Amino acid sequence: MDLMNIMLEVTGSWSHFGGAVGAGLAAIGAGIGIGQIGKGATEAIARQPEAANDIRGGMILTAAFVEGVALFAVIAGLLAVLK
Amino acid sequence: MDLMNIMLEVTGSWSHFGGAVGAGLAAIGAGIGIGQIGKGATEAIARQPEAANDIRGGMILTAAFVEGVALFAVIAGLLAVLK
Amino acid sequence: MDLMNIMLEVTGSWSHFGGAVGAGLAAIGAGIGIGQIGKGATEAIARQPEAANDIRGGMILTAAFVEGVALFAVIAGLLAVLK
């Protein structure tokens, strides 16, 4: 093992740093987004129980949108960690 | 132990830093998200106890979405710490 | 103790720093999340005492979700500190 391999290793260290922090930030995004959606949907069902199916449809659709982006970002973070 | 091994150790250090901070950020995300969902759901059940089943369904669904992303991000952090 | 041992000590330092900060962030997440859930649940039970069992069920479920992620993140922080 010579100096160049070590310097190469050093480069990977920042990848792991950024990957893990990026995955954490993605989880914050999912929390902010899906949290508001879930709060709005549960309160909406309580206000108008007859519309529960419509409300649930909108809830699942928007939550899936947020989830898609967040999972994609977590996978990007995982790839940076595993590199 | 010579200088090169020490420099190699330095590389891992930032991984651990980022992994632990990333896991903490993921926990903040879960807190923001599931906190709002739980608050909304408990208040919604109090407002319309007859709709408790619909409300509980929406609560569990959205909480599971947030939980999935957050656990995924914590695992990315753990991988960075254990690397 | 010569220069090399000192440099080796420096390497572990950032791990410990990150581990402690990450565990602290996880505690903030648990505080935000379970705080809102507990607030919502106590107010909900006060509003509709007959629905206390349903409300308690939702409260425990969501609080356990937040707790799971936060404990996991604290363990990641502990691992980084102990490394």
Side-chain angles (χ1 to χ4, degrees), chain A residues 6 13 16-17 31 46 56 81, chain B residues 4 11 15 17 33 48 54 83:
Chain A
I6 289 166
S13 179
H16 304 164
F17 177 91
R56 195 181 302 119
V81 168
Chain B
M4 290 186 180
T11 69
S15 301
F17 180 90
Q48 201 73 264
D54 277 342
K83 185 156 280 191

Side-chain angles (χ1 to χ4, degrees), chain B residues 1-3 5-7 9-10 13, chain C residues 1-14 16:
Chain B
M1 183 182 302
D2 61 349
L3 186 63
N5 281 329
I6 289 168
M7 285 183 70
E9 280 293 315
V10 173
S13 180
Chain C
M1 187 183 298
D2 61 350
L3 184 63
M4 291 187 180
N5 280 329
I6 289 170
M7 285 183 71
L8 195 61
E9 280 294 314
V10 172
T11 68
S13 180
W14 284 104
H16 304 164

Side-chain angles (χ1 to χ4, degrees), chain B residues 70-81:
Chain B
L71 272 184
F72 220 149
V74 170
I75 288 170
L78 270 179
L79 284 177
V81 169

Side-chain angles (χ1 to χ4, degrees), chain A:
Chain A
M1 183 182 303
D2 61 351
L3 186 61
M4 290 186 180
N5 280 329
I6 289 166
M7 286 183 71
L8 196 61
E9 279 293 314
V10 173
T11 68
S13 179
W14 285 102
S15 302
H16 304 164
F17 177 91
V21 170
L25 291 176
I28 288 184
I32 292 174
I34 303 178
Q36 283 187 310
I37 294 166
K39 182 170 183 273
T42 48
E43 285 172 352
I45 292 174
R47 182 160 176 176
Q48 202 72 265
E50 308 88 38
N53 281 328
D54 278 342
I55 294 168
R56 195 181 302 119
M59 179 191 81
I60 292 175
L61 193 69
T62 48
F65 277 150
V66 179
E67 184 84 2
V69 176
L71 273 184
F72 223 148
V74 169
I75 288 171
L78 269 178
L79 285 177
V81 168
L82 295 177
K83 186 154 284 187

